[in-house]
Structures are given as structure tokens and as C-alpha cells.
Amino acid sequence: MAARLAAGEPWAPVATAPIRASALPGRTDSEIRSVVAALPGRGEDLAAFAALGERLALDGHRLITITGGASRIPAIVETRVPGVPFVLLGSDTGALAAVAMAGSPAVRPDALVLLAMPLLHVTVAGLPLEDPSPRILPDLPILLMHGADDEVSPLPLVRMTTRTARQADLEVLPGGHDLLTGPGRRCVAARTLLFLEELKAGTSVPAQMALAPYTSPIV
């Protein structure tokens, strides 16, 4: 599976019976229910996103992995599909990058999914200088998923971060910091899918698309 993955490539499972390959990667833009731009974290293998991308594809949600620093923004913008929710999903330092990019007038995500987010007030080794470390969460629909036994970003401190974010939902999962490959990995896929379906059901056109460019609270 890892050999088939490239940055910027939509996920599609191997064609096996009972799944038809054409039903997954072959969807036209008019059949896509949402677009998820995934930002990997420190040293994270892109193959870690395989199971999540395959599960979302089954229900018509497109996940595309984007690598790099601030230079990711043009590639992220190109993944948008008009008229469907556009979500940034970040893991580890990718979650911090997603929060930082939420304030970009060019990106304007409709929602964020943040996996194992490092603490906002702590400088994280390995975070590219192009992605300034955010201080607070933006006022967007946000799904945070965090391991109950995360030793890198202790859960009680992350929970405190969410108290001022009125649209943030914190989901505590089994395991530690590595959510995509740990014991809670199936919960990640299931909860992300539910979040996307709720976002899609909210309005026919995502609210952020109808608003003025989002003003970042990041200082």
C-alpha cells in the first residue's frame, strides 16, 4: 500500500471484491461529498493515512495528503471542490499547521479535524518556521481527537485549550499520541466520517463559503 501513495494523491483502496475501484477514485467532482486536505506531522509516514482515506472514500469523501511547509497553501487551495465542505485535517504538528492556516484568506476551511494536537503554548521542535505557532483555536467547527494516554500532549492540558473554542468538540480515544496507527485508529475513521456527514448536512453550501474572509485570532 505504501508504494501506491504519493503526496497530493487522493486515497483509493485496492480493487478487491466487493468494492469496485471505479466507485472510489473514479468519482467526479459532482459526486464528492467533501474534500479533506490532510497535513502530516513530524516524521509521519504518509501510509498512516491509508485506512482513514479508504474509509472516507467509501462514502464519497476525498482525502488528499499535502506535505511541505507554508508552500503547501497553493496545493491545498487546488484541492477544493466548489459547493462541498472543505476541511483541513492535521496530525501532530500538522494539526498546528491546520490551525495556523485557518486564518489564511486563500485557504478558508469550513472546519478542522485535529489529531493529537501539540499544546498551543509550547514551542514544538520540528515545526517549520513558515508555519507560525498558533495560540488559540479559531471559531470554526472543530473536531479534536486525542489519546487518553498521550504523553507528548497531556490530555488535561489540551482539554483546557478547547474551553474558549465554542465550536470545538474533543473526542478522547484509546491509546497515546499516534492516533492513526494506534489502538484508536478505527475510532478516528468513524468519528471523522460522522463529523463530515454532520458538516455536510448542516447546509447545502458550507457557511464559510458565504461569509467574508475569516479573520485569524492567532497572534
Side-chain angles (χ1 to χ4, degrees), residues 6-218:
E9 177 183 357
W11 268 107
V14 177
T16 56
I19 300 173
R20 293 187 307 158
S22 60
L24 299 170
R27 293 183 189 270
T28 65
D29 283 355
S30 63
E31 298 173 307
I32 297 299
R33 296 178 57 76
S34 75
V35 174
V36 180
L39 310 177
R42 293 165 287 182
E44 200 159 31
D45 190 340
L46 294 183
F49 292 84
L52 175 59
E54 291 175 2
R55 179 63 191 89
L56 298 185
L58 286 171
D59 284 83
H61 302 280
R62 175 184 290 171
L63 184 144
I64 301 175
T65 53
I66 308 290
T67 60
S71 59
R72 286 178 287 194
I73 289 181
I76 290 171
V77 172
E78 290 179 3
T79 67
R80 300 186 76 117
V81 172
V84 302
F86 175 62
V87 179
L88 292 184
L89 181 149
S91 177
D92 183 57
T93 51
L96 291 183
V99 173
M101 290 180 187
S104 167
V107 179
R108 293 179 297 109
D110 297 298
L112 303 177
V113 176
L114 309 175
L115 310 179
M117 183 182 68
L119 302 177
L120 295 180
H121 63 280
V122 176
T123 300
V124 179
L127 183 65
L129 295 177
E130 297 93 337
D131 293 332
S133 183
R135 299 302 179 193
I136 59 175
L137 296 175
D139 189 18
L140 290 172
I142 300 174
L143 171 63
L144 298 100
M145 286 181 273
H146 214 81
D149 302 318
D150 193 327
E151 296 182 355
V152 176
S153 305
L155 177 60
L157 297 181
V158 172
R159 194 186 300 276
M160 291 177 62
T161 301
T162 67
R163 289 179 179 173
T164 58
R166 64 185 181 89
Q167 298 190 70
D169 182 14
L170 176 62
E171 190 85 14
V172 180
L173 304 181
H177 194 67
D178 193 359
L179 293 181
L180 288 170
T181 58
R185 61 188 180 279
R186 291 182 177 84
C187 298
V188 169
R191 189 63 184 87
T192 300
L193 180 60
L194 178 60
F195 180 72
L196 294 176
E197 291 294 339
E198 291 171 344
L199 191 65
K200 178 68 176 175
T203 56
S204 58
V205 177
Q208 286 296 317
M209 292 185 178
L211 297 178
Y214 174 69
T215 302
S216 174
I218 299 169

